[in-house]
């Protein structure tokens, strides 16, 4: 089953080198980074908060690339996405290295060894990893994952997926005059426009197969992939080619629509982001959703609900919104359980703080005031 990562618990690090002292320039890489960062934060893809997408362009040395990667790896608990675009080189030990601005082909220490990047992933607490390599000889990284001591086995995570722009002996392509490199351009186009007749969620396996067909038809290098465990089930967005254009008639079965999965949500950011995506999947405008609520929620209430940055303090408005959008009852109950879990998580630190500030020996009546405040905080 395909799954969209929780935006609040996921991170993306986009590395790229467009300027070189000793190698051919790759100006399209700069466009790759800008476009991919914007896409990952947009409704067309994962809706990641902008602060969860780190772009490192033209890092002056390996440390400048590894440090932000380590920070993201430490913060991610759901999915960690790592992307590199630039020249790929082969070191004397037949391993892949990622070229940086000052890299000299004959000085391996001036580039970023892929195994260093891989080690950072091994140290992360993320559940899933997505590695996208748009460089020459990127297929070399597949061998690192498929060896006896591979990334997925060592990290013991739910899933790992590596998508490489080229085979281990092949160069990638950056056609002169094109806005993007060939591989990243095709990836951006797929996520922006979807795949006609494809599944509701663009999981990595689907994206990989589509890119192979698309790039091969253009006589461009064919991408390679390696999947471990359930990594191929990670989705990079919804299939916008097949989202409904009009609301489904009342009473018609709607379970087939790609509703956001509330069971995959672990953060408030994820809850709010997925809540906003519900109306998109429903095909309803805010006015139509308001009418379908039979007067329970106004257009203004819907707008405030899907654009807020804190968890709703009461449940009824959210339930009315989900029902008006056509979300099945069993999924609304799952949303409610997720909301309760997040409410309890938010209340626990506050209660612990209150307990420290107001010990049992406090003046008479203080316990009652704390209970009253907690009751009020919970929206009663």
């Amino acid at each position: 089953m395909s799954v969209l990562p929780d935006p609040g618990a996921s991170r993306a690090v986009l590395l790229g080198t467009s300027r070189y002292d000793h190698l051919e320039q790759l100006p399209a890489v700069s466009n790759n980074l800008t476009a991919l960062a914007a896409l990952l934060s947009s409704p067309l893809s994962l809706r990641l908060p902008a602060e969860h997408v780190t772009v490192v362009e033209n890092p002056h040395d390996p440390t400048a690339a590894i440090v932000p990667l380590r920070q993201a790896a430490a913060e991610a608990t759901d999915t960690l996405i790592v992307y590199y675009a630039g020249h790929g080189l082969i070191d004397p030990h037949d391993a892949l290295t990622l070229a940086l601005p000052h890299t000299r082909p004959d000085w391996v220490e001036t580039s970023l060894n892929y195994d260093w990047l891989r080690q950072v992933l091994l140290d992360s607490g993320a559940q899933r990893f997505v590695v996208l390599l748009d460089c020459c000889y990127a297929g070399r990284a597949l061998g690192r994952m498929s060896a006896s001591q591979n990334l997925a086995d060592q990290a013991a995570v739910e899933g790992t997926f590596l998508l490489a722009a080229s085979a281990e002996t092949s160069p990638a392509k950056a056609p002169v005059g094109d806005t993007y490199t060939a591989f990243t351009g095709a990836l951006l186009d797929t996520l922006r426009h979807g795949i006609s007749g494809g599944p509701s969620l663009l999981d990595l396996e689907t994206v990989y197969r589509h890119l192979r067909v698309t790039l091969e038809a253009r006589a461009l290098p064919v991408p390679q992939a390696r999947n471990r465990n359930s990594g191929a089930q990670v989705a990079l967005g919804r299939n916008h080619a097949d989202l409904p254009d009009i609301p489904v008639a009342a009473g018609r079965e709607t379970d087939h629509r790609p509703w956001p999965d509330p069971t995959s949500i672990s953060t408030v950011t994820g809850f709010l982001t997925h809540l906003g995506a519900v109306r998109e999947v429903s095909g309803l405008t805010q006015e139509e959703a308001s009418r379908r609520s039979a007067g329970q929620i106004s257009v203004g209430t819907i707008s405030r609900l899907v654009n807020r940055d804190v968890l709703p303090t009461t449940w009824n408005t959210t339930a009315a919104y989900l029902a008006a959008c056509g979300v099945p009852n069993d999924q609304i109950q799952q949303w409610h359980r997720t909301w309760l879990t997040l409410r309890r998580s938010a209340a626990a630190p506050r209660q612990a703080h209150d307990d420290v500030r107001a010990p049992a020996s406090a003046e008479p009546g203080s316990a009652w005031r704390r209970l009253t405040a907690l009751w009020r905080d919970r929206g009663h």
Side-chain angles (χ1 to χ4, degrees):
M1 177 180 177
S2 301
V3 59
L4 282 169
D6 181 336
S10 300
R11 300 291 188 275
V13 179
L14 313 182
L15 308 172
T17 308
S18 58
R19 302 193 308 268
Y20 294 91
D21 295 339
H22 309 286
L23 296 167
E24 181 183 355
Q25 307 305 305
L26 294 175
V29 168
S30 183
N31 297 329
N32 287 1
L33 295 172
T34 301
L36 187 56
L39 184 65
L40 291 175
S41 297
S42 79
L44 293 176
S45 185
L46 300 181
R47 303 172 186 258
L48 295 179
E51 62 271 20
H52 290 184
V53 180
T54 301
V55 176
V56 183
E57 184 173 0
N58 297 317
H60 56 82
D61 59 28
T63 300
I66 290 295
V67 169
L69 179 58
R70 282 201 177 278
Q71 179 178 346
E75 295 172 351
T77 56
D78 188 308
T79 301
L80 176 61
I81 300 171
V82 181
Y83 167 89
Y84 170 81
H87 285 298
L89 303 173
I90 305 301
D91 73 6
H93 302 289
D94 203 33
L96 174 68
T97 66
L98 311 178
L100 304 178
H102 307 305
T103 292
R104 295 178 58 116
D106 52 341
W107 291 6
V108 65
E109 66 274 14
T110 60
S111 60
L112 173 62
N113 192 299
Y114 175 76
D115 278 346
W116 300 346
L117 182 152
R118 173 177 171 270
Q119 185 59 51
V120 174
L121 304 189
L122 293 175
D123 296 336
S124 173
Q127 297 180 49
R128 293 173 286 265
F129 300 110
V130 176
V131 180
L132 307 171
L133 297 177
D134 188 356
C135 61
C136 299
Y137 316 116
R140 295 275 170 157
L142 300 177
R144 290 291 182 264
M145 292 185 68
S146 60
S148 59
Q149 295 295 318
N150 59 63
L151 173 60
D153 289 344
Q154 291 190 29
V157 297
E158 179 181 336
T160 307
F161 194 94
L162 190 149
L163 183 56
S166 60
E168 63 178 20
T169 59
S170 302
K173 293 290 185 181
V176 176
D178 283 9
T179 303
Y180 310 113
T181 59
F183 171 80
T184 298
L187 175 63
L188 291 168
D189 185 70
T190 300
L191 296 180
R192 286 168 175 165
H193 302 294
I195 302 172
S196 181
S200 58
L201 294 179
L202 294 179
D203 60 82
L204 285 160
E205 181 62 32
T206 299
V207 169
Y208 163 60
R209 291 199 305 267
H210 181 72
L211 291 179
R212 280 187 64 90
V213 172
T214 299
L215 292 170
E216 187 172 25
R218 299 174 184 172
L220 292 167
V222 177
Q224 307 291 311
R226 181 75 74 245
N227 171 48
R228 298 294 301 182
N229 301 325
S230 58
Q233 296 174 1
V234 176
L236 294 181
R238 301 185 184 283
N239 187 0
H240 296 274
D242 288 333
L243 282 177
D245 295 323
I246 57 174
V248 177
R252 179 178 168 184
E253 179 61 48
T254 60
D255 285 357
H256 68 280
R257 286 187 285 174
W259 299 113
D261 180 11
T263 64
S264 69
I265 298 170
S266 61
T267 66
V268 172
T269 298
F271 186 93
L272 299 172
T273 300
H274 285 59
L275 197 63
V278 165
R279 187 179 60 79
E280 176 187 330
V281 174
S282 75
L284 296 167
T285 65
Q286 291 187 0
E287 291 77 8
E288 289 167 335
S290 176
R291 285 197 298 270
R292 284 170 173 255
S293 74
Q296 294 185 72
I297 47 176
S298 66
V299 172
T301 299
I302 293 175
S303 179
R304 289 189 294 273
L305 177 65
V306 300
N307 290 295
R308 61 189 297 128
D309 55 9
V310 294
L311 192 71
T313 56
T314 58
W315 171 246
N316 288 344
T317 298
T318 303
Y321 163 77
L322 293 170
C325 288
V327 176
N329 288 334
D330 60 335
Q331 290 192 34
I332 293 178
Q333 294 304 313
Q334 291 175 346
W335 275 95
H336 189 212
R337 286 191 288 272
T338 298
W339 176 80
L340 288 173
T341 298
L342 293 172
R343 287 286 293 167
R344 284 193 291 267
S345 297
R350 183 168 63 245
Q351 181 62 53
H353 179 68
D354 289 344
D355 289 345
V356 171
R357 294 185 59 184
S361 59
E363 68 275 10
S366 62
W368 171 253
R369 284 194 293 273
R370 293 200 306 277
L371 287 173
T372 302
L374 181 58
W375 183 258
R376 186 168 55 248
D377 288 344
R378 288 180 174 173
H380 297 280

